[in-house]
Amino acid sequence: MSLIKNSKLQLVLTWVLLTSVLLGIVALLPVGDKVEASAEIKAAPMTAEEPEITSAALLSNQKSNKESESESEAETEAVSVTPVVSVDSTIPAATDLTYDPASRLYDANAQGATVTESAVASIAAELAKSYPKTINYVIQKGDTLGGIFEQLDLSQMSLYQILEVDLNVLALDSIKPGQTLVFTEFEGELTRLELHISLAHQVVYKRSGDDGFEFEQITLEGEWREHSYIGKVEYSFAGSAKKAGLSLYEAQFIASLLKDKINFSRDLRSGDTFKVLVSRQYIGDERTGENRIDAVSINNRSRNISAYLYEGAYYDEAGLSIERAFVRRPVSSKYRISSSFNPNRRHPVTGLLRPHNGTDFAVPIGTPVYATGDGVVSRVLNHKYAGLYIEITNGQTYRTRFLHLSKILVKKGQRIKRGQKIALSGNTGRTTGPHLHYELHVRGRAVNAMTADIPIATAIEKKQQAAFKLALSNYHAAWAQS
Ligand SMILES: [Zn+2]
């Protein structure tokens, strides 16, 4: 603790000295030269120390080297009315200051020393370091995290430290153009990184001591507003849905949700009608991009096909489950769990928070890994720490991940059935031995896949019937209103 205090004190002292010296130097600048400001003297936290007095004292020491006393006085005044540190190319040729980069101090007594343009720039740079610097970076098409770090001149070391903690969220693996990264640097070191995924979702990586970063996920509930879309099928469902105001993704989601009930390309006829309720998330009046399909009803000639969201799963009018249920385990039941889900785990050496967001199964390399639910392969990646891994998006609520694989048997974008063999386990990335790390996420948050309340029911239970009927009538009322 005292160490920290001492280093803070040192910083403060350095500040006072630098501020004073800089004032002195600025005072030596020709009057009227105002160039780019790198720090404001006014913002110096040490105003109580009255740097002007110190600088005046310093100035008086330098008088012998000055050509004209009256000039120097005029310049001193210029400083007091222009509280902005100026650095430009018209620096006086010689004074008696020398900059020692090791101590970050100027030695006013060194003989024959000169102040150069670069020396003044160094002071300005040193002063600038005393403030945390924030950089907003909007991710562009084709960007990589490594490339962004290089572009911003951030160290490889901090990149690895960030990737190491991101292993627990893998949020930086799916950065998209338009999302923002906010970097905070202090004294040339990255201290904080924010990934703004949407208005409602951020991941914040914060430096914690020298060993690395910890992370925090910030999710805002916002306000979910329901929108009703009603349309008539003309040529294709996707085209008609788009015309009614739904996105292509939503049309695809509906087709996928109801694929066991209706073949969208073969069974739908011109003149069929559809109704869809979508909840869209807002923060204030701005849409976050997070959407949820609440209800779908399609009149296909004389029959009705529908899906209603109830407690995180979809059911038909009669309360029968539309989605296929999950299984708990992605590997044969003969393998034991070697490490359980633990949101409060800490690193044994550094003490940093390192949540174990999955369940580890002790399996030899090459063990078949099976999909735990129906879905679409949304990521196939090789991560420095997670190794070769797959992510499957299981509908709009669930996501599953399989890490440290040796071989991947599916492709990105491929549709997967529950129980399908998708990979062989391995020992890739940073591990202490061969195992499978399996994660289940519900709406972007990791949950314990072995105990979570996931759709395993095939029908609404008797005691839930009344509540389900009420939800249904609310959906129908929303359509009737629009
Ligand atoms: Zn694990």
Side-chain angles (χ1 to χ4, degrees), residues 263-302:
N263 183 321
F264 276 72
S265 52
R266 203 185 55 212
D267 300 344
L268 275 186
R269 292 283 183 276
S270 281
D272 285 350
T273 57
F274 59 88
K275 297 186 283 189
V276 182
L277 282 177
V278 183
S279 280
R280 305 200 184 279
Q281 192 190 31
Y282 288 77
I283 302 287
D285 273 332
E286 269 196 84
R287 260 159 71 162
T288 66
E290 301 279 342
N291 306 308
R292 181 183 70 214
I293 305 240
D294 288 334
V296 182
S297 173
I298 295 174
N299 276 309
N300 173 226
R301 286 174 281 178
S302 58

Short mmCIF file of all heavy atoms in Angstrom, two decimals, residues 263-302:
data_model
loop_
_atom_site.label_atom_id
_atom_site.label_comp_id
_atom_site.label_asym_id
_atom_site.label_seq_id
_atom_site.Cartn_x
_atom_site.Cartn_y
_atom_site.Cartn_z
N ASN A 263 -43.09 -27.27 -45.25
CA ASN A 263 -41.97 -27.03 -46.15
C ASN A 263 -42.22 -25.68 -46.84
O ASN A 263 -43.14 -25.56 -47.65
CB ASN A 263 -41.88 -28.16 -47.18
CG ASN A 263 -40.69 -28.00 -48.10
OD1 ASN A 263 -40.35 -26.88 -48.51
ND2 ASN A 263 -40.04 -29.11 -48.42
N PHE A 264 -41.41 -24.69 -46.49
CA PHE A 264 -41.68 -23.32 -46.95
C PHE A 264 -41.58 -23.14 -48.46
O PHE A 264 -42.24 -22.27 -49.02
CB PHE A 264 -40.76 -22.32 -46.23
CG PHE A 264 -41.30 -21.92 -44.89
CD1 PHE A 264 -41.28 -22.81 -43.82
CD2 PHE A 264 -41.87 -20.68 -44.70
CE1 PHE A 264 -41.81 -22.46 -42.60
CE2 PHE A 264 -42.41 -20.31 -43.47
CZ PHE A 264 -42.38 -21.21 -42.42
N SER A 265 -40.77 -23.94 -49.13
CA SER A 265 -40.65 -23.74 -50.59
C SER A 265 -41.69 -24.56 -51.34
O SER A 265 -42.12 -24.18 -52.43
CB SER A 265 -39.23 -24.08 -51.05
OG SER A 265 -38.87 -25.36 -50.59
N ARG A 266 -42.15 -25.67 -50.77
CA ARG A 266 -43.06 -26.55 -51.51
C ARG A 266 -44.52 -26.34 -51.13
O ARG A 266 -45.41 -26.31 -51.98
CB ARG A 266 -42.65 -28.00 -51.25
CG ARG A 266 -43.09 -28.99 -52.31
CD ARG A 266 -42.74 -30.40 -51.89
NE ARG A 266 -43.29 -30.72 -50.58
CZ ARG A 266 -42.72 -31.54 -49.69
NH1 ARG A 266 -41.57 -32.11 -49.97
NH2 ARG A 266 -43.29 -31.78 -48.53
N ASP A 267 -44.77 -26.17 -49.79
CA ASP A 267 -46.15 -26.17 -49.31
C ASP A 267 -46.85 -24.81 -49.37
O ASP A 267 -48.07 -24.75 -49.49
CB ASP A 267 -46.22 -26.68 -47.86
CG ASP A 267 -45.70 -28.10 -47.72
OD1 ASP A 267 -45.58 -28.79 -48.77
OD2 ASP A 267 -45.40 -28.52 -46.59
N LEU A 268 -46.07 -23.73 -49.26
CA LEU A 268 -46.72 -22.42 -49.22
C LEU A 268 -47.28 -22.04 -50.59
O LEU A 268 -46.68 -22.32 -51.62
CB LEU A 268 -45.73 -21.34 -48.76
CG LEU A 268 -45.56 -21.14 -47.25
CD1 LEU A 268 -44.66 -19.95 -47.00
CD2 LEU A 268 -46.88 -20.95 -46.53
N ARG A 269 -48.47 -21.40 -50.57
CA ARG A 269 -49.14 -20.99 -51.81
C ARG A 269 -49.35 -19.48 -51.81
O ARG A 269 -49.53 -18.89 -50.74
CB ARG A 269 -50.52 -21.66 -51.92
CG ARG A 269 -50.51 -23.16 -52.11
CD ARG A 269 -50.15 -23.53 -53.56
NE ARG A 269 -50.21 -24.97 -53.80
CZ ARG A 269 -49.21 -25.82 -53.54
NH1 ARG A 269 -48.12 -25.40 -53.04
NH2 ARG A 269 -49.33 -27.10 -53.79
N SER A 270 -49.39 -18.90 -52.99
CA SER A 270 -49.76 -17.49 -53.08
C SER A 270 -51.15 -17.33 -52.49
O SER A 270 -52.04 -18.13 -52.76
CB SER A 270 -49.79 -17.04 -54.55
OG SER A 270 -48.48 -16.79 -54.98
N GLY A 271 -51.29 -16.32 -51.65
CA GLY A 271 -52.58 -16.11 -51.01
C GLY A 271 -52.61 -16.61 -49.57
O GLY A 271 -53.46 -16.22 -48.78
N ASP A 272 -51.64 -17.47 -49.19
CA ASP A 272 -51.52 -17.86 -47.78
C ASP A 272 -51.18 -16.60 -46.97
O ASP A 272 -50.55 -15.67 -47.50
CB ASP A 272 -50.40 -18.88 -47.59
CG ASP A 272 -50.80 -20.28 -48.07
OD1 ASP A 272 -52.01 -20.47 -48.36
OD2 ASP A 272 -49.93 -21.16 -48.15
N THR A 273 -51.60 -16.57 -45.72
CA THR A 273 -51.32 -15.38 -44.91
C THR A 273 -50.46 -15.74 -43.69
O THR A 273 -50.42 -16.91 -43.28
CB THR A 273 -52.62 -14.71 -44.42
OG1 THR A 273 -53.36 -15.68 -43.69
CG2 THR A 273 -53.43 -14.18 -45.58
N PHE A 274 -49.80 -14.74 -43.16
CA PHE A 274 -48.99 -14.99 -41.96
C PHE A 274 -49.06 -13.79 -41.02
O PHE A 274 -49.30 -12.65 -41.45
CB PHE A 274 -47.52 -15.28 -42.33
CG PHE A 274 -46.85 -14.18 -43.10
CD1 PHE A 274 -46.20 -13.13 -42.44
CD2 PHE A 274 -46.86 -14.17 -44.50
CE1 PHE A 274 -45.59 -12.11 -43.15
CE2 PHE A 274 -46.24 -13.15 -45.20
CZ PHE A 274 -45.61 -12.12 -44.54
N LYS A 275 -48.90 -14.08 -39.73
CA LYS A 275 -48.86 -13.05 -38.69
C LYS A 275 -47.66 -13.36 -37.81
O LYS A 275 -47.45 -14.53 -37.45
CB LYS A 275 -50.14 -13.11 -37.82
CG LYS A 275 -51.42 -12.84 -38.57
CD LYS A 275 -52.61 -12.76 -37.63
CE LYS A 275 -53.07 -14.15 -37.19
NZ LYS A 275 -54.36 -14.11 -36.45
N VAL A 276 -46.91 -12.33 -37.48
CA VAL A 276 -45.73 -12.53 -36.65
C VAL A 276 -45.68 -11.44 -35.59
O VAL A 276 -45.97 -10.28 -35.88
CB VAL A 276 -44.42 -12.49 -37.50
CG1 VAL A 276 -43.20 -12.76 -36.64
CG2 VAL A 276 -44.49 -13.48 -38.66
N LEU A 277 -45.34 -11.81 -34.37
CA LEU A 277 -45.09 -10.82 -33.31
C LEU A 277 -43.61 -10.87 -32.98
O LEU A 277 -43.06 -11.94 -32.72
CB LEU A 277 -45.89 -11.15 -32.05
CG LEU A 277 -47.37 -10.81 -32.03
CD1 LEU A 277 -47.97 -11.30 -30.71
CD2 LEU A 277 -47.59 -9.30 -32.17
N VAL A 278 -42.97 -9.70 -33.03
CA VAL A 278 -41.54 -9.63 -32.71
C VAL A 278 -41.34 -8.61 -31.60
O VAL A 278 -41.87 -7.50 -31.68
CB VAL A 278 -40.70 -9.19 -33.95
CG1 VAL A 278 -39.22 -9.19 -33.62
CG2 VAL A 278 -40.98 -10.09 -35.14
N SER A 279 -40.60 -8.97 -30.58
CA SER A 279 -40.22 -8.00 -29.55
C SER A 279 -38.86 -7.45 -29.92
O SER A 279 -37.93 -8.21 -30.18
CB SER A 279 -40.16 -8.66 -28.18
OG SER A 279 -41.44 -8.77 -27.65
N ARG A 280 -38.76 -6.11 -29.94
CA ARG A 280 -37.48 -5.48 -30.25
C ARG A 280 -37.02 -4.69 -29.03
O ARG A 280 -37.81 -4.00 -28.39
CB ARG A 280 -37.62 -4.56 -31.46
CG ARG A 280 -38.19 -5.29 -32.69
CD ARG A 280 -37.88 -4.56 -33.99
NE ARG A 280 -38.52 -5.21 -35.13
CZ ARG A 280 -38.03 -6.28 -35.74
NH1 ARG A 280 -36.91 -6.84 -35.32
NH2 ARG A 280 -38.66 -6.83 -36.77
N GLN A 281 -35.73 -4.82 -28.75
CA GLN A 281 -35.20 -4.17 -27.55
C GLN A 281 -34.81 -2.72 -27.84
O GLN A 281 -34.20 -2.43 -28.87
CB GLN A 281 -33.97 -4.94 -27.04
CG GLN A 281 -33.53 -4.52 -25.65
CD GLN A 281 -32.19 -5.10 -25.28
OE1 GLN A 281 -31.35 -5.33 -26.14
NE2 GLN A 281 -31.99 -5.34 -24.00
N TYR A 282 -35.18 -1.83 -26.91
CA TYR A 282 -34.86 -0.41 -27.02
C TYR A 282 -34.12 0.06 -25.78
O TYR A 282 -34.42 -0.36 -24.67
CB TYR A 282 -36.14 0.42 -27.14
CG TYR A 282 -36.86 0.30 -28.47
CD1 TYR A 282 -37.62 -0.83 -28.76
CD2 TYR A 282 -36.78 1.30 -29.42
CE1 TYR A 282 -38.28 -0.96 -29.97
CE2 TYR A 282 -37.44 1.19 -30.65
CZ TYR A 282 -38.18 0.06 -30.91
OH TYR A 282 -38.83 -0.06 -32.11
N ILE A 283 -33.17 0.95 -26.00
CA ILE A 283 -32.58 1.71 -24.89
C ILE A 283 -32.99 3.15 -25.22
O ILE A 283 -32.56 3.70 -26.23
CB ILE A 283 -31.05 1.59 -24.84
CG1 ILE A 283 -30.61 0.13 -24.69
CG2 ILE A 283 -30.47 2.48 -23.74
CD1 ILE A 283 -30.84 -0.49 -23.33
N GLY A 284 -33.83 3.73 -24.38
CA GLY A 284 -34.42 5.02 -24.76
C GLY A 284 -35.28 4.78 -25.98
O GLY A 284 -36.08 3.86 -26.01
N ASP A 285 -35.03 5.55 -27.03
CA ASP A 285 -35.80 5.35 -28.26
C ASP A 285 -34.99 4.66 -29.35
O ASP A 285 -35.43 4.55 -30.49
CB ASP A 285 -36.36 6.69 -28.77
CG ASP A 285 -37.70 7.00 -28.13
OD1 ASP A 285 -38.40 6.03 -27.76
OD2 ASP A 285 -38.03 8.20 -27.98
N GLU A 286 -33.80 4.21 -28.97
CA GLU A 286 -32.95 3.57 -29.98
C GLU A 286 -33.02 2.06 -29.90
O GLU A 286 -32.98 1.48 -28.82
CB GLU A 286 -31.50 4.02 -29.78
CG GLU A 286 -31.17 5.25 -30.58
CD GLU A 286 -29.66 5.45 -30.69
OE1 GLU A 286 -29.06 4.84 -31.58
OE2 GLU A 286 -29.12 6.20 -29.85
N ARG A 287 -33.11 1.44 -31.06
CA ARG A 287 -33.14 -0.01 -31.11
C ARG A 287 -31.74 -0.56 -30.90
O ARG A 287 -30.78 -0.03 -31.44
CB ARG A 287 -33.67 -0.46 -32.48
CG ARG A 287 -35.13 -0.86 -32.41
CD ARG A 287 -35.77 -0.82 -33.75
NE ARG A 287 -35.29 -1.88 -34.61
CZ ARG A 287 -35.94 -2.27 -35.71
NH1 ARG A 287 -37.07 -1.71 -36.04
NH2 ARG A 287 -35.45 -3.22 -36.46
N THR A 288 -31.63 -1.63 -30.11
CA THR A 288 -30.31 -2.19 -29.82
C THR A 288 -29.89 -3.23 -30.86
O THR A 288 -28.74 -3.62 -30.91
CB THR A 288 -30.29 -2.89 -28.45
OG1 THR A 288 -31.16 -4.04 -28.53
CG2 THR A 288 -30.76 -1.96 -27.35
N GLY A 289 -30.84 -3.72 -31.64
CA GLY A 289 -30.53 -4.78 -32.59
C GLY A 289 -30.86 -6.16 -32.03
O GLY A 289 -30.77 -7.15 -32.73
N GLU A 290 -31.21 -6.21 -30.75
CA GLU A 290 -31.62 -7.49 -30.15
C GLU A 290 -33.12 -7.66 -30.38
O GLU A 290 -33.92 -6.80 -30.02
CB GLU A 290 -31.35 -7.49 -28.63
CG GLU A 290 -29.91 -7.27 -28.25
CD GLU A 290 -29.07 -8.54 -28.36
OE1 GLU A 290 -29.65 -9.64 -28.40
OE2 GLU A 290 -27.84 -8.40 -28.42
N ASN A 291 -33.47 -8.77 -31.00
CA ASN A 291 -34.88 -9.04 -31.32
C ASN A 291 -35.26 -10.44 -30.89
O ASN A 291 -34.41 -11.32 -30.79
CB ASN A 291 -35.10 -8.89 -32.82
CG ASN A 291 -34.61 -7.55 -33.34
OD1 ASN A 291 -34.98 -6.52 -32.81
ND2 ASN A 291 -33.75 -7.57 -34.34
N ARG A 292 -36.56 -10.63 -30.70
CA ARG A 292 -37.03 -11.94 -30.26
C ARG A 292 -38.38 -12.20 -30.93
O ARG A 292 -39.28 -11.36 -30.87
CB ARG A 292 -37.19 -11.90 -28.74
CG ARG A 292 -37.66 -13.17 -28.10
CD ARG A 292 -37.84 -12.98 -26.62
NE ARG A 292 -39.00 -12.12 -26.34
CZ ARG A 292 -39.08 -11.27 -25.32
NH1 ARG A 292 -38.09 -11.13 -24.50
NH2 ARG A 292 -40.17 -10.54 -25.14
N ILE A 293 -38.50 -13.33 -31.60
CA ILE A 293 -39.78 -13.69 -32.21
C ILE A 293 -40.66 -14.29 -31.12
O ILE A 293 -40.28 -15.27 -30.48
CB ILE A 293 -39.57 -14.71 -33.35
CG1 ILE A 293 -38.57 -14.14 -34.34
CG2 ILE A 293 -40.91 -15.15 -33.95
CD1 ILE A 293 -39.00 -13.95 -35.72
N ASP A 294 -41.81 -13.67 -30.88
CA ASP A 294 -42.69 -14.13 -29.81
C ASP A 294 -43.75 -15.11 -30.31
O ASP A 294 -44.11 -16.04 -29.61
CB ASP A 294 -43.40 -12.93 -29.16
CG ASP A 294 -42.45 -12.11 -28.31
OD1 ASP A 294 -41.44 -12.68 -27.83
OD2 ASP A 294 -42.71 -10.91 -28.13
N ALA A 295 -44.27 -14.83 -31.49
CA ALA A 295 -45.35 -15.69 -31.98
C ALA A 295 -45.42 -15.66 -33.50
O ALA A 295 -45.13 -14.64 -34.11
CB ALA A 295 -46.68 -15.24 -31.39
N VAL A 296 -45.76 -16.81 -34.08
CA VAL A 296 -45.90 -16.92 -35.54
C VAL A 296 -47.17 -17.71 -35.81
O VAL A 296 -47.44 -18.72 -35.14
CB VAL A 296 -44.72 -17.72 -36.16
CG1 VAL A 296 -44.87 -17.78 -37.68
CG2 VAL A 296 -43.39 -17.12 -35.77
N SER A 297 -47.96 -17.25 -36.76
CA SER A 297 -49.14 -18.00 -37.16
C SER A 297 -49.24 -17.93 -38.67
O SER A 297 -49.22 -16.85 -39.25
CB SER A 297 -50.38 -17.40 -36.49
OG SER A 297 -51.53 -18.03 -37.00
N ILE A 298 -49.31 -19.09 -39.32
CA ILE A 298 -49.37 -19.12 -40.78
C ILE A 298 -50.63 -19.86 -41.22
O ILE A 298 -50.91 -20.96 -40.72
CB ILE A 298 -48.12 -19.83 -41.37
CG1 ILE A 298 -46.86 -19.01 -41.04
CG2 ILE A 298 -48.26 -20.00 -42.88
CD1 ILE A 298 -45.57 -19.67 -41.43
N ASN A 299 -51.42 -19.22 -42.08
CA ASN A 299 -52.58 -19.89 -42.65
C ASN A 299 -52.20 -20.43 -44.02
O ASN A 299 -52.06 -19.68 -44.97
CB ASN A 299 -53.77 -18.95 -42.75
CG ASN A 299 -54.52 -18.90 -41.43
OD1 ASN A 299 -54.87 -19.95 -40.87
ND2 ASN A 299 -54.74 -17.70 -40.93
N ASN A 300 -52.00 -21.74 -44.06
CA ASN A 300 -51.57 -22.41 -45.28
C ASN A 300 -52.79 -23.14 -45.84
O ASN A 300 -53.16 -24.21 -45.35
CB ASN A 300 -50.44 -23.39 -44.93
CG ASN A 300 -50.03 -24.26 -46.10
OD1 ASN A 300 -49.87 -25.46 -45.94
ND2 ASN A 300 -49.86 -23.67 -47.28
N ARG A 301 -53.42 -22.50 -46.85
CA ARG A 301 -54.71 -23.00 -47.36
C ARG A 301 -55.68 -23.17 -46.18
O ARG A 301 -55.95 -22.21 -45.49
CB ARG A 301 -54.51 -24.27 -48.17
CG ARG A 301 -53.88 -23.91 -49.53
CD ARG A 301 -53.52 -25.11 -50.34
NE ARG A 301 -52.27 -25.72 -49.90
CZ ARG A 301 -51.73 -26.82 -50.42
NH1 ARG A 301 -52.37 -27.45 -51.40
NH2 ARG A 301 -50.60 -27.28 -49.99
N SER A 302 -56.08 -24.41 -45.90
CA SER A 302 -57.10 -24.54 -44.85
C SER A 302 -56.50 -24.82 -43.46
O SER A 302 -57.22 -24.87 -42.47
CB SER A 302 -58.08 -25.64 -45.22
OG SER A 302 -57.34 -26.83 -45.40
#
